[in-house]
Amino acid sequence: MRFGTQFIVYFDRLAHNVDLLRSHIKGPEILFMVKADGYGHGAIPLVEFANRELNIKEFGLATLGEALALRQQLPSLNFEAYVFSDLNFSIPGMLEYYGENRILPVVHNERDLKIFLGAPQLRHFPLILKFNTGMNRLGLAPERQEEIIKMIKQVGRTSIYHLMTHFACASLNMKNAQNQRQIASFAAIKSQFKAANISIERTSISNSGAIEQNVGLDETHIRPGLMLYGPSSLIPSIRSKSWWHGKVISCFETLVLNSFLVAKGQPIGYGGTPVKEAGVLGVLSVGYGDGFSTRYQGVTLKDGKLCGEVVGRVNMDMIQVLFPNGTELDIGTNFKIWDEEEAQIEQFCKETGVIPYEIFCQMGPRVPRYYK
Ligand SMILES: *Cc1c(COP(=O)(O)O)cnc(C)c1O
């Protein structure tokens, strides 16, 4: 655990983002994606706040373990937990975990579908199906839909609780051919179920990138992840296509451990990298042991008027930042690596080539999370 370096999550900013999203999308319900521990922010406090205060009732996880943790730690709350990828019903006991804890598996292959449909204790359990419309990762094959319909009818089911698919390229223009093919394929799958008299209670297709481009807003649900944490998920060249201007819900701040003048060429840190210019060197209390990757070497850090460059090697516990001569950098003060403004994260991503998803998820367990 660190002192002075922290990841602060502001609930009022999340509330702002949810309001902004709801006022734009009008109809659909939000299935809030909180996999990977709420994209590094801490799933449990996020779900507790979003469920109690923002009336969000559905949450998306990647693994059964993530969903179980929510059920165990928030036993009095009333929400649905979807698990998107951690599925293998041939493991003894796995189905029971889902059934007994009312955790909803997103069934994405026929082998698991068969076991699910054949389990007597799950006869009335919600059936959730994900189809592969072009992502080519997980998902039932559209070409097999007739057989799938037979399997469903054979056990006397007449409805699907939630039918979904996932875009491969939502961070690119939604008008491109790949995205349009996926949209058309999903529409065809829906019609074929209807033609077979299988009713569909819920549908969803869109993650952040698609929502930002107004795609999938006529389904019953949307599945936003990244946008609710603040940043846009569109690539910079089409960023202007997005209506989204969320607040970054987190502030990542660290501590100035040391500050001193350096001369041009002075070697610093491991490997003795010479500094390119004379200036003020700040040693900050964050390193790859906290999730500040060695790939962030050279990145510009800006906190208000303070602006410096990460120089030399990123260490496990510290980084060195070179500020211009004359900068007043006081030992013992905090330095914000990012805060509410999306521009900071955007700049960070642009310079490092890392996507915001990864920056958040990499945040290490040594960095304490605080919630305000
Ligand atoms: C992660 C995920 C999402 C959310 O994606 P974002 O780009 O973060 O909005 C939605 N749907 C599925 C199936 C996912 O795996």
Side-chain angles (χ1 to χ4, degrees):
M1 181 91 140
R2 285 269 190 200
F3 291 96
T5 293
Q6 54 246 341
F7 190 62
I8 307 163
V9 177
Y10 292 90
F11 287 137
D12 59 335
R13 298 186 196 168
L14 177 62
H16 168 92
N17 289 350
V18 169
D19 280 350
L20 185 65
L21 179 59
R22 279 190 174 135
S23 65
H24 186 88
I25 60 170
K26 312 275 179 345
E29 292 284 326
I30 295 173
L31 194 170
F32 183 12
M33 298 303 293
V34 293
K35 57 194 175 183
D37 202 20
Y39 290 41
H41 295 64
I44 288 160
L46 285 186
V47 168
E48 183 168 23
F49 178 79
N51 184 249
R52 272 190 211 282
E53 306 295 330
L54 307 177
N55 200 27
I56 292 179
K57 299 189 185 78
E58 286 145 287
F59 298 91
L61 294 315
T63 74
L64 178 57
E66 292 175 332
L68 277 173
L70 288 186
R71 278 280 177 261
Q72 284 161 2
Q73 304 213 26
L74 303 170
S76 63
L77 295 190
N78 192 9
F79 62 89
E80 306 252 60
Y82 288 63
V83 170
F84 280 79
S85 49
D86 202 17
L87 227 63
N88 182 356
F89 293 151
S90 37
I91 296 176
M94 195 185 238
L95 255 184
E96 286 71 19
Y97 267 114
Y98 279 94
E100 285 161 16
N101 296 286
R102 198 178 160 84
I103 292 169
L104 308 180
V106 176
V107 179
H108 56 69
N109 66 60
E110 284 182 45
R111 198 189 54 156
D112 285 324
L113 179 61
K114 210 168 277 166
I115 302 174
F116 179 93
L117 292 175
Q121 75 274 27
L122 296 183
R123 272 198 62 156
H124 303 289
F125 207 70
L127 174 62
I128 303 177
L129 299 181
K130 179 156 84 170
F131 273 78
N132 171 26
T133 54
M135 172 72 152
N136 297 327
R137 187 178 63 176
L138 302 178
L140 297 158
E143 310 80 69
R144 297 273 306 158
Q145 197 177 350
E146 262 182 49
E147 287 80 358
I148 290 164
I149 289 171
K150 273 189 208 134
M151 288 166 70
I152 294 171
K153 286 190 163 171
Q154 233 160 39
V155 297
R157 283 187 183 253
T158 54
S159 76
I160 295 168
Y161 181 70
H162 197 144
L163 179 72
M164 58 175 74
T165 191
H166 191 43
F167 286 116
C169 303
S171 60
L172 308 180
N173 194 328
M174 285 307 299
K175 295 210 164 72
N176 78 24
Q178 155 85 10
N179 286 325
Q180 289 300 312
R181 271 197 300 276
Q182 288 199 255
I183 293 170
S185 170
F186 190 61
I189 292 165
K190 280 198 283 190
S191 327
Q192 203 174 327
F193 276 123
K194 278 178 194 149
N197 284 320
I198 292 183
S199 62
I200 302 167
E201 292 175 53
R202 287 143 205 249
T203 56
S204 65
I205 184 168
S206 290
N207 56 350
S208 298
I211 298 162
E212 289 181 57
Q213 297 177 73
N214 297 318
V215 169
L217 306 187
D218 44 1
E219 310 294 340
T220 66
H221 285 66
I222 53 171
R223 304 190 307 266
L226 188 70
M227 66 194 304
L228 289 182
Y229 302 94
S232 165
S233 71
L234 303 192
I235 58 165
S237 60
I238 62 157
R239 181 70 180 83
S240 61
K241 292 200 181 300
S242 175
W243 57 269
W244 182 248
H245 293 285
K247 290 182 177 174
V248 175
I249 69 168
S250 60
C251 168
F252 183 32
E253 68 177 16
T254 180
L255 182 69
V256 179
L257 289 172
N258 202 2
S259 166
F260 52 94
L261 294 174
V262 286
K264 182 175 175 175
Q266 188 169 326
I268 48 148
Y270 286 122
T273 313
V275 292
K276 282 177 282 182
E277 303 290 342
V280 176
L281 194 83
V283 179
L284 305 187
S285 178
V286 64
Y288 60 78
D290 307 290
F292 196 96
S293 166
T294 54
R295 282 180 296 168
Y296 304 162
Q297 216 151 289
V299 74
T300 309
L301 297 183
K302 197 165 183 301
D303 176 1
K305 286 197 211 97
L306 300 173
C307 182
E309 182 191 336
V310 176
V311 293
R313 293 188 195 165
V314 172
N315 313 179
M316 187 185 289
D317 308 310
M318 282 165 260
I319 53 174
Q320 304 87 211
V321 184
L322 184 64
F323 295 91
N325 256 331
T327 302
E328 275 186 42
L329 186 72
D330 297 327
I331 296 172
T333 57
N334 282 327
F335 184 95
K336 291 186 171 69
I337 294 177
W338 69 72
D339 201 355
E340 183 177 318
E341 295 303 319
E342 195 198 342
Q344 265 172 303
I345 293 258
E346 239 179 77
Q347 178 70 20
F348 196 94
C349 290
K350 203 167 129 195
E351 290 188 18
T352 59
V354 174
I355 53 177
Y357 296 86
E358 189 178 348
I359 294 178
F360 292 149
C361 287
Q362 266 182 358
M363 186 77 48
R366 183 164 71 181
V367 181
R369 272 70 166 171
Y370 295 111
Y371 299 90
K372 288 189 178 166

